[in-house]
Amino acid sequence: MSGTTTSRTSLLGSTVVLLGILGSTSGCAGFNGVLRPGGGGETTGAGTYEGEACRRVYYDLDDHDPESDYNHNEKKFPIGEDTSPEAQLLLATCARHMKKGRLGHETRQWNRIKPLDPEKVYLSLDDRDLDIVSAALSAVIIGNDEVAARFQHERHYKDARYQGLVLFYASLIRREDLSAALARIAVPAEVKTTFLAQFDGAAQRARAAGLAPEEMTVYVKIPLDVHASRSKHYEAYTELYAELDELLAKSEKARGNAEAAAALAPSFVDLRSRFVAKCGTLDCRGRPLWAHTTRELALLAVAEGKRLDAHVESHMHEREGSYVGGFIQAITAAQYAELSRMREASAKYQKAKENGIDEQTARTLAGGTTGFRFKDRAFFHVDLRLPTYAKALDGSGLGSPRASAFPVGSVQPAAGGKGVKITFEKDRHPSQEAYNCRTTNRISRIHRDGRLDYEEVCNWRPVTVESERHKPVTVPAAEAKNLQRGDVVSFLALGEEARIVEVKRGDVVVQLRGDAVREPN
């Protein structure tokens, strides 16, 4: 929804103490479902807006037959798409009129457009360009039974994840930011006032839902903590993220041309390297800048037709749990970690109680808590991985890159000066070698043709047998500049050509792609 976003910096400090989430009490009357007189019939829902602008989102009540149109007729009242903030605000605030049929049933105005889907809005949140109007609209839809029922075929958002989402939005979105965003939208002032009251009312209802402390932690506190942490991160790397934005804008055009993609890719590699140099640790790969540059390098490699480069960059985020660069992915990963901790604590607590342990001791064994078990579908489905973009280049008869990891035996310039040749340490295992063998006069076998075999006696000595683990591979020089003998290199290879994924020195990862990293403090 264009024109409804607020910058990341304007939201800094918005993660306030949760006690202040629902301070306002205005707007609660908007959710009482009171029947009152209205032009052309009756209207449901106090605290709504009535005006000519509502014709944009509702069909004229005069066109509704009270004896037949209580069921939706798609041909007569088609519902289209309009995600503009103007239309969605009107849809949320406009009064919905109704007629009564002869038997007392109600025929209500049908809406012309679909409402926003709160789940889709949440999954698309970008904390660097937060669409607070869409988030607030979602809270109103979730918190208003009347709004939810009229747009979602009687779907209600009663479960804890939706109520927690409203509380998260209520804490994250500052009133002055929302008012400023609404001021830029071309709807009547009364619509904006009504909507702010609805947003407050939605938060009140969410608080009244009575979420458990553990649910508040998972659905509200963790998202706020993730937002605060990422906000600090963006502040620390402001210049690099500004560069990223410029490069991403260029990349959208470059992906359509192999030459343009080839010219732009080194800039992403350089930006990623400078970020890792400043960030320093392996944890950098979970940060948005590393994730976004890596994803873009995969897409540019696809545009260039470079299968190996596309595969190695895609490989970094193709496994579930490997991509936490997005705002919602970072929240989900933190929620899953807390969920696992709570489940483990619950199991320990239950085991202690089942074996006759007193309450205080049982809680102590469980880490000071009884734990908590969330219901099924307690979280929105979020993939913590990215597509394997490189598969777009794969085809029948083409081999797929193989992932391997072996210790380095030697590093030397490749023939022709193209890259660096890595030779791997050979496998060594003990064996025995026969020597000083001699034939005795004792017969060991008689053949059918009469030939005789005589027994042979040898002395034996221990030897070490060597075997090749992997044939030597050639990698770009930039990826091998920090390699040492004995380092364990993880790589993807197509034939003799390879790309480094990471390098371990002992148990410590010291290189990620072509960049040196250190252990987190």
Side-chain angles (χ1 to χ4, degrees), residues 128-186:
R128 295 190 65 231
D129 191 18
L130 194 63
D131 187 347
I132 59 174
V133 172
S134 290
L137 279 162
S138 298
V140 169
I141 293 173
I142 292 169
N144 188 338
D145 283 343
E146 165 62 17
V147 173
R150 72 172 100 153
F151 300 141
Q152 298 293 332
H153 304 290
E154 305 304 322
R155 177 182 179 183
H156 295 271
Y157 299 94
K158 299 296 188 183
D159 59 72
R161 61 176 171 168
Y162 282 108
Q163 299 305 312
L165 187 57
V166 173
L167 295 180
F168 168 49
Y169 288 155
S171 182
L172 182 64
I173 302 172
R174 295 187 302 190
R175 185 58 170 258
E176 57 268 34
D177 292 331
L178 182 56
S179 296
L182 293 174
R184 296 190 292 270
I185 301 174

Side-chain angles (χ1 to χ4, degrees), residues 272-284:
R272 183 172 67 180
S273 294
R274 285 186 286 121
F275 170 71
V276 173
K278 184 175 180 180
C279 180
T281 70
L282 188 61
D283 292 341
C284 302

Side-chain angles (χ1 to χ4, degrees), residues 410-433:
S410 66
V411 179
Q412 54 190 341
K418 295 183 178 180
V420 171
K421 180 180 179 181
I422 301 175
T423 302
F424 301 101
E425 290 183 358
K426 295 181 177 180
D427 266 330
R428 293 177 173 81
H429 56 271
S431 184
Q432 288 188 321
E433 177 183 65

Side-chain angles (χ1 to χ4, degrees), residues 1 4 11 16 48 54 83 147 209 245 255 269 301 303 320 369 372 392 410 416 428 455 472 488 495 499:
M1 294 172 62
T4 65
L11 287 170
V16 295
T48 53
C54 293
T83 60
V147 173
D245 292 338
R255 289 191 219 127
V269 173
E320 182 63 22
T369 179
F372 193 82
S410 66
R428 293 177 173 81
E455 184 178 272
V488 177
R499 297 292 183 271

Side-chain angles (χ1 to χ4, degrees), residues 208-438:
L211 269 64
E214 293 84 359
E215 291 172 327
M216 288 292 291
T217 294
V218 168
Y219 296 129
V220 185
K221 183 179 183 300
I222 284 177
L224 290 174
D225 287 347
V226 169
H227 178 266
S229 174
R230 288 166 65 96
S231 294
K232 292 179 181 178
H233 168 76
Y234 293 137
E235 284 293 314
Y237 298 89
T238 300
E239 294 181 0
L240 294 183
Y241 276 96
E243 286 188 50
L244 174 64
D245 292 338
E246 292 179 5
L247 288 176
L248 289 175
K250 294 178 181 178
S251 185
E252 288 186 14
K253 300 178 180 179
R255 289 191 219 127
N257 181 281
E259 291 184 1
L264 187 60
S267 296
F268 278 99
V269 173
D270 176 67
L271 176 60
R272 183 172 67 180
S273 294
R274 285 186 286 121
F275 170 71
V276 173
K278 184 175 180 180
C279 180
T281 70
L282 188 61
D283 292 341
C284 302
R285 65 180 171 186
R287 292 301 189 176
L289 194 144
W290 198 92
H292 294 160
T293 52
T294 300
R295 178 188 61 195
E296 210 60 32
L297 283 167
L299 292 170
L300 290 172
V302 170
E304 292 182 70
K306 293 184 175 180
R307 292 183 63 229
L308 182 54
D309 290 304
H311 269 285
V312 73
E313 301 297 355
S314 297
H315 176 78
M316 308 309 295
H317 292 125
E318 66 183 358
R319 290 173 288 105
E320 182 63 22
S322 62
Y323 176 70
V324 293
F327 183 35
I328 302 307
Q329 286 76 15
I331 290 174
T332 302
Q335 288 174 327
Y336 283 168
E338 181 65 14
L339 174 63
S340 178
R341 189 192 70 80
M342 288 183 180
R343 283 177 173 171
E344 183 179 348
S346 177
K348 290 180 179 179
Y349 174 80
Q350 293 296 332
K351 182 178 181 180
K353 295 296 290 183
E354 289 170 2
N355 287 278
I357 303 300
D358 63 89
E359 179 71 15
Q360 183 175 351
T361 304
R363 284 175 174 267
T364 300
L365 291 173
T369 179
T370 61
F372 193 82
R373 289 191 176 275
F374 286 83
K375 298 178 181 178
D376 292 338
R377 294 183 57 81
F379 299 95
F380 297 109
H381 176 74
V382 178
D383 287 327
L384 301 182
R385 59 179 296 276
L386 292 177
T388 305
Y389 302 111
K391 287 184 177 180
L393 299 177
D394 291 344
S396 59
L398 295 175
S400 296
R402 296 181 58 186
S404 306
F406 298 106
V408 174
S410 66
V411 179
Q412 54 190 341
K418 295 183 178 180
V420 171
K421 180 180 179 181
I422 301 175
T423 302
F424 301 101
E425 290 183 358
K426 295 181 177 180
D427 266 330
R428 293 177 173 81
H429 56 271
S431 184
Q432 288 188 321
E433 177 183 65
Y435 72 98
N436 195 24
C437 296
R438 54 201 180 278

